[in-house]
Amino acid sequence: MNPNEWMNYVYDLHQHIRSQDQKIKDLESRLQQMEQTSQKKNPTTIEKIEYNFDQLKIERLDGTLHIGLSPSDLAKMDEFGVNQTNPPDEKVPLNQTLQTDLRNHIYQEGPKIIQHLAEQYQHPVNENFQHVMLQDIEKQLPQRIHVHEQEVRNNHNLATEDQIMNYVKDQIKHEIHQSLITYMQGNGKEGKDQ
């Protein structure tokens, strides 16, 4: 190739690049115009969202859940917070704490107590009947807690909730043990066949 041909080749190449550059600019301009036109003609709006819940169960909520608010309401409102822990001055009710503690005691210690008493009084109890006995004791807890709580508040001079809770818990544990002894002494023979 002679130098003149090279000059022509480079010149043609330069013209081609300039032409391509202009086409790109034109296409970018057209795309921008189309986007603006599209946004003006078809703005995205959500008129209504409906939720129908037969049952709503939230076990744990991290973040914020807004039910019944429109997006414009969300923009206007202050932040709502959900405190998932009890404030320091708000305690779990005494009755609920006692039921949980005593239920744990029944199912952790109850089988050992029943087996020990069954051996002591020579009245074997099979596992099924043992389970029935524990369930029966558990069903009586709310009533027994209420009775002992009323008794301690009316007749004893205990100052703190912890003292009251420990007293009621000890009374009910003693009651459970005594009722199992009474059962084994008199009616334990029923457990053999069950």
Side-chain angles (χ1 to χ4, degrees), residues 22-192:
Q22 187 58 43
K23 285 181 181 179
I24 289 173
K25 287 179 184 178
D26 290 342
L27 288 172
E28 286 176 343
S29 175
R30 285 181 60 198
L31 179 61
Q32 192 174 23
Q33 286 175 352
M34 288 173 63
E35 286 175 346
Q36 288 174 351
T37 304
S38 174
Q39 287 177 353
K40 288 178 185 175
K41 286 183 180 178
N42 300 322
T44 303
T45 57
I46 300 173
E47 293 181 23
K48 187 175 186 179
I49 298 176
E50 289 187 22
Y51 296 97
N52 296 313
F53 295 108
D54 289 336
Q55 183 179 28
L56 177 63
K57 180 179 180 183
I58 300 173
E59 290 187 21
R60 182 175 175 170
L61 177 64
D62 291 331
T64 306
L65 173 65
H66 301 282
I67 298 175
L69 298 174
S70 68
S72 61
D73 292 337
L74 286 172
K76 294 176 190 173
M77 75 177 202
D78 292 331
E79 180 179 330
F80 290 115
V82 176
N83 189 355
Q84 293 186 10
T85 59
N86 292 327
D89 59 341
E90 187 178 314
K91 293 184 178 181
V92 176
L94 179 69
N95 190 307
Q96 185 178 347
T97 303
L98 281 168
Q99 280 191 38
T100 301
D101 289 352
L102 289 167
R103 188 176 300 115
N104 290 339
H105 172 73
I106 289 169
Y107 287 103
Q108 289 173 3
E109 300 300 320
K112 293 180 218 168
I113 294 170
I114 291 171
Q115 289 306 315
H116 173 74
L117 292 174
E119 289 172 12
Q120 182 179 348
Y121 291 99
Q122 299 176 353
H123 295 294
V125 176
N126 69 32
E127 283 187 37
N128 291 335
F129 191 68
Q130 176 180 297
H131 187 69
V132 169
M133 291 171 71
L134 295 174
Q135 285 180 326
D136 186 50
I137 293 169
E138 180 186 3
K139 287 177 190 172
Q140 297 177 42
L141 282 179
Q143 178 190 7
R144 300 312 304 154
I145 289 170
H146 179 73
V147 167
H148 284 291
E149 185 179 358
Q150 292 303 314
E151 187 249 332
V152 75
R153 290 187 189 279
N154 294 334
N155 301 326
H156 296 282
N157 200 13
L158 301 176
T160 68
E161 289 289 307
D162 284 341
Q163 289 176 330
I164 293 170
M165 187 169 73
N166 288 333
Y167 178 83
V168 171
K169 199 183 311 181
D170 290 343
Q171 292 300 310
I172 292 175
K173 285 180 182 179
H174 178 74
E175 219 175 60
I176 291 170
H177 193 83
Q178 285 304 119
S179 66
L180 288 172
I181 288 173
T182 302
Y183 176 79
M184 289 296 178
Q185 286 175 338
N187 300 324
K189 294 175 185 168
E190 294 172 16
K192 285 182 182 179

Side-chain angles (χ1 to χ4, degrees), residues 2-36:
N2 67 30
N4 217 5
E5 287 177 352
W6 273 106
M7 288 291 278
N8 286 337
Y9 176 75
V10 170
Y11 179 77
D12 288 340
L13 187 59
H14 179 66
Q15 290 300 324
H16 184 70
I17 290 173
R18 285 183 73 192
S19 170
Q20 294 297 318
D21 188 42
Q22 187 58 43
K23 285 181 181 179
I24 289 173
K25 287 179 184 178
D26 290 342
L27 288 172
E28 286 176 343
S29 175
R30 285 181 60 198
L31 179 61
Q32 192 174 23
Q33 286 175 352
M34 288 173 63
E35 286 175 346
Q36 288 174 351

